[in-house]
Amino acid sequence: LRHASARSFTACLIFEPQQIRFEFRDDGVGFNATAQHEGMGLMGIKERVEAMGGTLTIESEVGKGTAIFVSLGSSPKT
């Protein structure tokens, strides 16, 4: 919230048989998610998620907020 200047955010924790997902969205200033950033915040989150065998996806656009998705576990095989 400090960097995003968001007025509000939503967080959702989803438990599935083979997977746990966390979804976080804010209405902040957003940023270019593909650009290189100073600091260790996003890189640190990515490293911790990957160390647990998960995936991290970040969607953001300047002026349109940010969405962060973390998935741990495996999707059920079909």
Side-chain angles (χ1 to χ4, degrees):
L1 294 175
R2 176 179 52 166
H3 298 292
S5 299
R7 292 181 318 242
S8 65
F9 69 92
T10 60
C12 186
L13 188 57
I14 302 152
F15 294 92
E16 297 175 338
Q18 302 294 323
Q19 186 178 57
I20 296 173
R21 293 183 294 135
F22 174 74
E23 300 178 359
F24 175 90
R25 297 174 189 270
D26 70 38
D27 65 352
V29 296
F31 62 95
N32 180 346
T34 60
Q36 187 166 354
H37 299 278
E38 294 182 14
M40 300 296 289
L42 294 175
M43 185 185 310
I45 293 169
K46 184 176 191 301
E47 290 173 351
R48 286 189 292 274
V49 169
E50 289 176 351
M52 292 184 285
T55 59
L56 170 71
T57 304
I58 300 172
E59 297 175 357
S60 188
E61 189 175 336
V62 175
K64 298 195 176 190
T66 300
I68 298 174
F69 306 95
V70 174
S71 178
L72 299 172
S74 61
S75 297
K77 298 194 183 345
T78 56

